[in-house]
């Protein structure tokens, strides 16, 4: 993928890779170690919501959906289901704040990011990282590229469970705002920034605050 990211039709910025191979290895080691222990620690929470979700709304507690990963490679992302099973009966739709499709339990697990726990499995498999741009569907990449040239450049790095966009707005960000934060992350990413995002994410999980 081109090392330049188009912000708009007039401006281009240079993508900053991880500075050394050791930083890349540290990131992957952090992904594996933290994901493994987080799965163990959060297992009781996962089990609890696997029981509550089907009670609140009919259907499986899990939600599988094909997303695009590094360099546009598709993979099946897994989440705890936060919407009704017919949420996209009228076609794909970008999630928004106060989305009417979100269930009562879904609103809570989205606010606390509990719905993201199963993605730790995706991280262990190597489909995702703990930190990175949120993975999106091919449909949205094609749609957003029509008015946001450069949106596909989020695929330059491995997608993450959380990221700079998530700790600066999350679900309520517009595609343009999300692109802005994701490109900032790609340009400035470092081990120190990864740790900063991780701690800000933990603050959101435990307090429900921290995202706009």
């Amino acid at each position: 993928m081109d090392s330049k990211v188009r912000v708009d039709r007039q401006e281009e910025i240079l993508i900053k890779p991880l500075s050394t191979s050791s930083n890349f290895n540290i990131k992957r080691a952090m992904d594996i170690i933290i994901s493994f222990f987080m799965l163990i620690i959060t297992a009781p929470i996962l089990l609890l919501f696997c029981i509550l979700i089907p009670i609140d709304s009919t259907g499986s507690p899990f939600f599988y959906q094909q997303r695009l990963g590094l360099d546009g490679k598709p993979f099946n992302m897994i989440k705890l289901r936060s919407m009704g099973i017919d949420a996209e009966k009228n076609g794909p739709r970008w999630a928004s704040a106060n989305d009417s499709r979100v269930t009562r339990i879904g609103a809570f697990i989205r606010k606390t990011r509990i719905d993201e726990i199963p993605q730790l499995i995706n991280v262990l498999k190597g489909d995702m990282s703990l930190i990175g741009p949120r993975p999106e569907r091919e449909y949205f990449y094609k749609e957003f590229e029509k008015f946001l040239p450069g949106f596909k450049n989020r695929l330059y790095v491995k997608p993450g469970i959380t990221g700079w966009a998530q700790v600066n707005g999350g679900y309520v960000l517009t595609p343009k705002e999300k692109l802005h934060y994701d490109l900032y992350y790609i340009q400035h990413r470092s081990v120190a920034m990864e740790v900063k995002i991780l701690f800000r994410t933990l603050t959101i999980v435990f307090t429900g605050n921290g995202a706009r």
Side-chain angles (χ1 to χ4, degrees):
M1 190 171 289
D2 196 330
S3 62
K4 289 184 178 180
V5 174
R6 288 193 66 86
V7 178
D8 55 38
R9 296 187 185 277
Q10 290 78 40
E11 183 182 3
E12 291 184 341
I13 59 175
L14 188 67
I15 294 175
K16 175 186 175 184
L18 287 177
S19 57
T20 65
S21 59
S22 62
N23 282 354
F24 177 83
N25 292 333
I26 289 172
K27 178 177 173 65
R28 181 58 185 155
M30 286 174 60
D31 282 345
I32 295 172
I33 294 170
I34 295 175
S35 296
F36 178 76
F37 283 104
M38 285 298 292
L39 272 174
I40 294 175
I41 293 171
T42 59
I45 298 173
L46 192 59
L47 178 60
L48 173 63
F49 284 97
C50 280
I51 296 171
L52 294 178
I53 291 171
I55 293 175
D56 185 43
S57 61
T58 304
S60 169
F62 294 107
F63 175 71
Y64 300 86
Q65 191 174 73
Q66 188 177 89
R67 302 288 177 101
L68 298 186
L70 179 65
D71 294 329
K73 181 181 178 181
F75 71 96
N76 288 319
M77 189 184 75
I78 178 173
K79 298 179 68 173
L80 284 175
R81 182 171 56 83
S82 62
M83 296 184 181
I85 57 175
D86 60 348
E88 294 196 332
K89 61 183 179 181
N90 296 319
R93 212 174 91 196
W94 183 262
S96 60
N98 302 315
D99 199 312
S100 61
R101 299 172 298 167
V102 177
T103 64
R104 290 172 299 176
I105 292 294
F108 175 78
I109 63 176
R110 286 167 72 92
K111 181 178 181 180
T112 57
R113 303 301 195 268
I114 288 174
D115 61 326
E116 315 287 5
I117 291 176
Q119 288 167 58
L120 293 169
I121 297 172
N122 289 120
V123 175
L124 290 174
K125 290 172 61 180
D127 296 326
M128 296 175 62
S129 176
L130 287 173
I131 311 295
R134 287 294 297 158
E136 296 295 345
R137 282 177 281 177
E138 184 177 10
Y139 172 86
F140 286 120
Y141 272 104
K142 290 180 178 179
E143 288 297 306
F144 295 154
E145 274 290 324
K146 295 175 183 177
F147 62 91
L148 284 176
F151 195 83
K152 66 181 180 181
N153 287 290
R154 298 167 75 253
L155 300 172
Y156 181 85
V157 298
K158 191 175 290 188
I161 294 179
T162 186
W164 192 236
Q166 277 57 55
V167 299
N168 284 284
Y171 294 117
V172 303
L173 293 179
T174 65
K176 184 176 182 179
E177 289 173 323
K178 176 174 284 192
L179 178 61
H180 168 77
Y181 284 114
D182 286 337
L183 295 188
Y184 180 89
Y185 164 78
I186 291 171
Q187 281 188 292
H188 300 88
R189 61 201 173 111
S190 64
V191 173
M193 188 176 188
E194 304 270 318
V195 173
K196 179 179 181 179
I197 293 171
L198 188 60
F199 275 102
R200 287 187 62 175
T201 300
L202 291 174
T203 299
I204 293 171
V205 170
F206 289 113
T207 67
N209 299 318
R212 195 174 60 185

